């Protein structure tokens, strides 16, 4: 990599600082993971956030109205804002234009001048210089109301001094960069990943307007574009979380508190479902591992609800207090705190550590939520009732469990009759294929390597009517074979250390019905065996879509792109389109989908499963409108598991 920077023009008297600069950026290129976490798709997308965060800061300072983010056709990125423009004046310490410092000095990113809530620790806010170092090229244009200033870099090394290339009466910053293929394993941006993150930022920073555009045409030659602008901030965020659910009270509850060095705001609304959906943020960073703000919130919510239930005699004296989990059933909630010198802890540095935050949030909820309850008794009673129902259901389930004393089918040691088990019991190697239908199941049983591959056919031949009302299948009875075969229990009893197979592979057709089955199973795992997904045991098998052949030459194509390439490789070939797994004979199924040496499998992460849960909610929900829209919009992507 050194050859990329040896030919840098060093034409001013600041050789020394220049050399330091390059040493700094070279360190970034040597160990990119230290600065952006990884060089996978995650790190790739992180580059965009690093740049956009600067424009968001400018908007928060009150100088920028709109931020445009565009994925160009070649997977380079442009970000444009209408702020004041990065300063171009010469900086005293370095003798360089401030903008050049921003792009070449580590940790100098737009945050000079102080003020605001700084981020410390973790991988956040590493700044524009890191993006510059990891980009094949980066160009910046600044409009200062008079001139358009321009500079370009390659892999962190400047190609030219900052120069004026035109006049303007506007102000703003434009950055165009292309992530370096020498650094990143993945170079293709995922529109939905950027959309989710930018939408989240738009919710967290009420009033900001972010426009995301994709200049890569989709299969219909269309370009996607979304405008993200929410005057309601996190209140609208909560409505968004509940968009496919049925809220049990109309008004979103909102409380906030401002202290000298911190602030906290919380928005919440209950729906008629059973899952808890709390998302927390510190300084606009998603704290997926939770932390003090979440702990404070949960403690106070439990207390406020119990106090209210006691005060108004909804809970009788001889009844036990409601548990925390009871008070969070069906809760959609956003917690957003800002704190100077935030401390991020945990494995992925997404757990807030500042101890003062627990007290601040706890006190705020104790005071303001109880006040809200007093002023809105109708809503308060709905919420307390909901928690009491949850508590009764929990108690009843526990009694039922205790009564059946391990005799329940869930814990029974008899394996399902249809399971073709494997001989090995070493979960490092074992896999179970959950296959839809008896015929595909038969092929899989014959094609497998029985030493480590088990096959569980599900549901025999499903009637079409049943498929359309697949929610009926979502009952223990129909999924019992899956539970017993995996052998680690379910719900709060699930013990991932007891699983009988290291890999749980969902194998279904590449069509809409197959997509339904995948969605159903993923949702089931997400709701009842979450650690199975969290620890990476769940996979989706990828059967080929086409067989391209001529004489003895055979190529299996897994995507339309593969098909194109295959047809170039074998001219005048015949094409067989596989409509289902059932069309493959056992050898073909082994060769294309089950052979660890050749197959393609997708590992499911929690985000995928969570999306499946959302899709499931829509597919099964009683709201017809979102369902139709959704199926029209996403049926394609569900098939491809681009969910
Ligand atoms: F990442 C980045 F640095 F390259 C970048 C910065 C990228 C993009 C797309 C925008 C920005 C950016 C920075 N937009 N707006 C600003 N604003 C400033 O840097 C700025 C301007 C004026 C003053 C001032 O005190 O007068 C202070 C700042 C931080």
């Amino acid at each position: 990599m050194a050859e990329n920077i040896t030919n840098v023009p060093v034409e001013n008297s600041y050789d020394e600082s220049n050399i330091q600069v390059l040493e700094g950026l070279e360190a970034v290129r040597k160990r990119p993971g230290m600065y952006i976490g990884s060089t996978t798709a995650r790190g790739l997308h992180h580059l965009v956030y690093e740049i956009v965060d600067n424009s968001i800061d400018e908007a928060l300072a009150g100088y920028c109205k709109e931020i445009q983010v565009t994925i160009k056709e070649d997977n380079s990125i442009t970000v444009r804002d209408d702020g004041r423009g990065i300063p171009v004046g010469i900086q005293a310490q370095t003798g360089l234009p401030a903008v050049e410092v921003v792009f070449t000095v580590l940790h100098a990113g737009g945050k000079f001048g102080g003020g605001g809530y700084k981020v410390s620790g973790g991988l956040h806010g590493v700044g524009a210089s890191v993006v510059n170092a990891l980009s094949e090229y980066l160009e910046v244009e600044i409009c200062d109301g008079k001139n358009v200033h321009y500079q370009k870099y390659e892999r962190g090394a400047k190609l030219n001094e900052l120069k004026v290339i035109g006049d303007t009466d506007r102000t703003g910053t434009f950055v165009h960069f292309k992530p370096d293929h020498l650094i990143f394993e993945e170079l293709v941006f995922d529109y939905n990943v950027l959309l989710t993150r930018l939408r989240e930022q738009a919710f967290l920073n009420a009033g900001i307007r972010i426009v995301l555009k994709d200049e890569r045409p989709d299969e219909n030659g269309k370009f996607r574009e979304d405008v993200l602008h929410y005057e309601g901030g996190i209140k609208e965020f909560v409505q968004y979380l509940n968009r496919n659910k049925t809220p049990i009270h109309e008004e979103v509850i909102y409380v906030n508190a401002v202290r000298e060095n911190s602030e906290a705001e919380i928005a919440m609304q209950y729906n008629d479902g059973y899952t808890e959906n709390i998302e927390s943020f510190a300084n606009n960073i998603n704290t997926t591992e939770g932390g003090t703000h979440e702990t404070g919130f949960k403690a106070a919510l439990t207390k406020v609800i119990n106090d209210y239930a006691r005060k108004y005699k909804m809970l009788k004296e001889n009844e036990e207090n409601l548990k925390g989990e009871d008070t969070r059933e069906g809760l959609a909630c956003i917690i957003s705190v800002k704190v100077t010198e935030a401390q991020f802890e945990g494995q992925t540095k997404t757990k807030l550590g500042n101890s003062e935050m627990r007290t601040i949030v706890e006190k705020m909820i104790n005071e303001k939520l109880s006040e809200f309850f007093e002023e809105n008794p109708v809503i308060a009673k709905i919420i307390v009732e909901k928690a009491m129902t949850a508590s009764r259901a929990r108690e009843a389930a526990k009694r039922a469990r205790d009564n059946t004393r391990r005799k329940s089918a869930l814990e029974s040691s008899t394996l399902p009759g249809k399971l073709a088990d494997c001989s090995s019991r070493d979960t490092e190697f074992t896999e179970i294929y959950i296959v839809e239908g008896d015929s595909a199941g038969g092929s899989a049983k014959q094609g497998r390597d029985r030493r480590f591959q088990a096959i569980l056919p599900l549901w025999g031949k499903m009637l079409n009517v049943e498929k359309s009302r697949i929610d009926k299948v979502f009952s223990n009875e129909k999924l019992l074979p899956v539970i017993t075969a995996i052998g680690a229990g379910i719900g709060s009893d699930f013990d991932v250390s007891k699983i009988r197979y290291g890999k749980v592979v969902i194998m279904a057709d590449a069509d809409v019905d197959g997509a339904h089955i995948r969605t159903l199973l993923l949702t089931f795992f997400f709701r009842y065996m979450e650690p199975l997904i969290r620890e990476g045991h769940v996979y989706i098998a990828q059967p080929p879509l086409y067989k391209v052949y001529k004489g003895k030459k055979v190529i299996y194509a897994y995507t339309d792109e593969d098909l194109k390439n295959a047809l170039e490789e074998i001219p005048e070939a015949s094409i067989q389109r596989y409509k289902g797994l059932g069309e493959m004979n056992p050898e073909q199924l082994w060769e294309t989908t089950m052979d660890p040496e050749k197959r393609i499998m997708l590992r499911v992460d929690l985000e995928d499963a969570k999306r499946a849960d959302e899709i499931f909610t829509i597919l099964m929900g009683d709201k017809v409108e979102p369902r139709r829209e959704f199926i029209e919009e996403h049926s394609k992507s569900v098939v491809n598991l681009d969910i």
Side-chain angles (χ1 to χ4, degrees):
M1 268 165 235
E3 72 270 16
N4 295 321
I5 56 167
T6 45
N7 58 354
V8 174
V10 181
E11 51 191 44
N12 54 30
S13 53
Y14 304 108
D15 321 26
E16 212 161 293
S17 59
N18 236 328
I19 287 163
Q20 276 172 12
V21 157
L22 292 171
E23 280 171 355
L25 294 195
E26 172 123 34
V28 177
R29 291 181 59 84
K30 274 210 180 102
R31 299 168 152 261
M34 295 254 299
Y35 297 85
I36 50 157
S38 78
T39 54
T40 60
R42 199 187 167 104
L44 179 81
H45 291 81
H46 199 101
L47 298 181
V48 182
Y49 314 148
E50 284 300 334
I51 296 296
V52 173
D53 282 355
N54 293 278
S55 296
I56 292 178
D57 284 347
E58 184 74 356
L60 291 179
Y63 298 102
C64 155
K65 289 210 169 58
E66 181 168 305
I67 304 164
Q68 295 174 5
V69 181
T70 305
I71 311 171
K72 309 296 280 184
E73 203 162 0
D74 63 350
N75 277 292
S76 63
I77 296 284
T78 66
V79 180
R80 180 186 299 282
D81 73 36
D82 56 359
R84 291 167 292 181
I86 308 175
V88 294
I90 301 290
Q91 223 196 19
Q93 304 109 294
T94 56
L96 296 168
V99 51
E100 192 171 328
V101 176
V102 167
F103 282 107
T104 56
V105 178
L106 282 180
H107 299 294
K111 300 209 163 69
F112 50 92
Y117 297 108
K118 280 193 221 66
V119 173
S120 70
L123 304 165
H124 316 293
V126 292
S129 58
V130 169
V131 179
N132 189 21
L134 302 178
S135 292
E136 208 173 301
Y137 62 81
L138 179 147
E139 39 188 1
V140 54
E141 263 179 50
I142 294 152
C143 296
D144 64 2
K146 273 206 198 86
N147 298 310
V148 185
H149 304 263
Y150 175 85
Q151 190 167 39
K152 184 167 183 176
Y153 298 85
E154 270 178 16
R155 304 195 159 99
K158 69 178 163 190
L159 292 185
N160 64 280
E161 298 301 329
L162 188 70
K163 65 182 176 193
V164 171
I165 57 163
D167 344 315
T168 182
D169 52 7
R170 304 210 213 184
T171 69
T173 305
F174 171 85
V175 169
H176 178 199
F177 69 95
K178 181 157 199 216
D180 192 346
H181 63 89
L182 299 177
I183 302 279
F184 291 95
E185 293 146 50
E186 177 63 62
L187 293 160
V188 178
F189 283 99
D190 183 329
Y191 186 88
N192 287 323
V193 169
L194 292 182
L195 177 63
T196 303
R197 160 75 191 229
L198 294 176
R199 179 185 285 129
E200 173 187 297
Q201 291 300 315
F203 279 129
L204 291 169
N205 302 291
I208 268 187
R209 186 184 167 87
I210 303 176
V211 181
L212 175 62
K213 286 188 190 160
D214 198 339
E215 292 189 353
R216 303 165 301 180
D218 66 14
E219 59 265 44
N220 304 316
K222 293 232 162 60
F223 301 101
R224 275 190 79 178
E225 173 169 340
D226 285 271
V227 178
L228 311 166
H229 177 213
Y230 309 103
E231 288 295 346
I234 65 168
K235 273 180 119 171
E236 272 191 72
F237 201 162
V238 166
Q239 287 172 327
Y240 178 81
L241 293 181
N242 272 340
R243 69 195 176 287
N244 304 312
K245 317 233 163 165
T246 310
I248 56 170
H249 54 98
E250 194 169 299
E251 188 183 342
V252 176
I253 303 170
Y254 174 88
V255 290
N256 71 335
V258 181
R259 295 280 176 287
E260 196 174 324
N261 289 315
S262 58
E263 55 189 80
E265 55 172 352
I266 290 176
M268 54 191 267
Q269 186 187 43
Y270 287 85
N271 61 58
D272 69 356
Y274 308 104
T275 36
E276 158 185 336
N277 195 359
I278 300 179
E279 294 212 35
S280 66
F281 298 84
N283 295 358
N284 292 341
I285 289 155
N286 194 183
T287 38
T288 48
E289 296 174 285
T292 50
H293 51 345
E294 262 193 58
T295 320
F297 169 74
K298 289 179 181 173
L301 181 72
T302 313
K303 179 172 159 47
V304 170
I305 292 183
N306 272 300
D307 286 356
Y308 190 91
R310 293 265 174 228
K311 181 170 173 193
Y312 292 97
K313 310 267 190 275
M314 297 174 77
L315 265 182
K316 304 285 174 304
E317 264 163 42
N318 60 352
E319 283 180 299
E320 268 186 46
N321 262 0
L322 301 164
K323 289 219 155 113
E325 58 191 275
D326 303 330
T327 66
R328 299 193 297 271
E329 255 195 40
L331 173 65
C333 175
I334 298 290
I335 303 172
S336 171
V337 304
K338 305 267 169 71
V339 53
T340 52
E341 310 297 336
Q343 287 145 20
F344 291 100
E345 302 168 348
Q347 283 215 320
T348 55
K349 297 276 179 235
T350 54
K351 180 173 181 185
L352 184 66
N354 302 58
S355 60
E356 74 276 14
M357 218 59 232
R358 177 182 167 134
T359 335
I360 291 171
V361 173
E362 198 167 346
K363 197 156 166 281
M364 164 177 105
I365 290 292
N366 275 335
E367 285 171 10
K368 301 206 172 163
L369 187 61
S370 36
E371 194 179 302
F372 179 90
F373 277 7
E374 293 299 339
E375 287 166 7
N376 299 275
V378 176
I379 298 180
K381 298 219 157 67
I382 290 173
I383 293 172
V384 173
E385 286 291 350
K386 167 114 187 160
M388 288 178 60
T389 310
S391 160
R392 277 184 225 115
R394 179 173 50 75
E395 296 281 336
K398 184 170 182 301
R399 271 196 304 277
R401 263 204 312 277
D402 292 350
N403 287 343
T404 44
R405 283 255 180 288
R406 317 208 109 245
K407 276 204 181 132
S408 83
L410 296 193
E411 285 151 288
S412 84
S413 54
T414 35
L415 289 166
K418 287 197 170 178
L419 175 74
D421 210 355
C422 52
S423 43
S424 167
R425 288 269 64 90
D426 183 348
T427 53
E428 188 168 335
F429 304 106
T430 53
E431 319 178 329
I432 181 169
Y433 281 76
I434 303 176
V435 188
E436 185 214 352
D438 282 335
S439 75
S443 287
K445 279 181 191 174
Q446 290 175 46
R448 69 177 173 149
D449 183 331
R450 64 176 60 242
R451 286 171 300 177
F452 67 96
Q453 292 179 320
I455 310 293
L456 179 65
L458 271 193
W459 306 319
K461 264 198 273 339
M462 222 195 283
L463 293 172
N464 265 333
V465 229
E466 285 181 302
K467 279 179 182 163
S468 62
R469 294 295 306 158
I470 206 166
D471 53 328
K472 298 254 166 64
V473 182
F474 204 79
S475 63
N476 277 351
E477 195 198 318
K478 295 275 177 131
L479 285 165
L480 209 53
V482 177
I483 302 164
T484 36
I486 293 176
I490 183 170
S492 54
D493 294 334
F494 183 76
D495 179 355
V496 73
S497 72
K498 294 210 176 111
I499 53 175
R500 301 180 61 251
Y501 311 94
K503 291 194 175 75
V504 176
V505 186
I506 302 172
M507 188 156 75
D509 292 343
D511 61 8
V512 174
D513 289 336
H516 278 205
I517 307 273
R518 279 192 290 276
T519 305
L520 165 82
L521 284 168
L522 286 184
T523 306
F524 175 72
F525 290 143
F526 178 65
R527 292 190 189 170
Y528 299 104
M529 302 184 181
E530 199 221 45
L532 193 70
I533 297 175
R534 184 187 293 283
E535 297 187 12
H537 295 290
V538 181
Y539 293 79
I540 308 279
Q542 295 280 283
L545 297 175
Y546 308 97
K547 176 182 176 181
V548 178
Y549 61 99
K550 186 182 175 190
K552 285 209 163 142
K553 273 196 182 160
V554 178
I555 300 179
Y556 294 103
Y558 295 83
T559 60
D560 288 331
E561 171 97 18
D562 280 356
L563 176 64
K564 224 171 69 194
N565 295 337
L567 288 173
E568 273 165 28
E569 204 159 307
I570 320 181
E572 293 170 56
S574 308
I575 304 172
Q576 180 188 357
R577 183 167 190 278
Y578 288 120
K579 286 188 216 75
L581 294 165
E583 292 176 11
M584 265 181 269
N585 64 36
E587 293 72 44
Q588 286 174 332
L589 194 58
W590 162 258
E591 218 175 287
T592 60
T593 316
M594 298 174 71
D595 178 359
E597 300 281 310
K598 294 187 190 146
R599 70 188 177 194
I600 304 175
M601 290 211 303
L602 299 176
R603 179 186 259 164
V604 175
D605 65 20
L606 270 181
E607 286 299 310
D608 298 328
K610 200 167 169 186
R611 250 172 289 165
D613 186 307
E614 283 174 15
I615 291 169
F616 182 83
T617 309
I618 295 166
L619 292 175
M620 300 314 143
D622 46 15
K623 292 191 173 175
V624 178
E625 243 346 276
R627 178 157 71 234
R628 175 154 16 114
E629 274 170 32
F630 192 88
I631 292 173
E632 278 165 12
E633 242 177 72
H634 291 264
S635 58
K636 194 126 204 166
S637 64
V638 182
V639 175
N640 299 325
L641 197 88
D642 180 19
I643 50 173

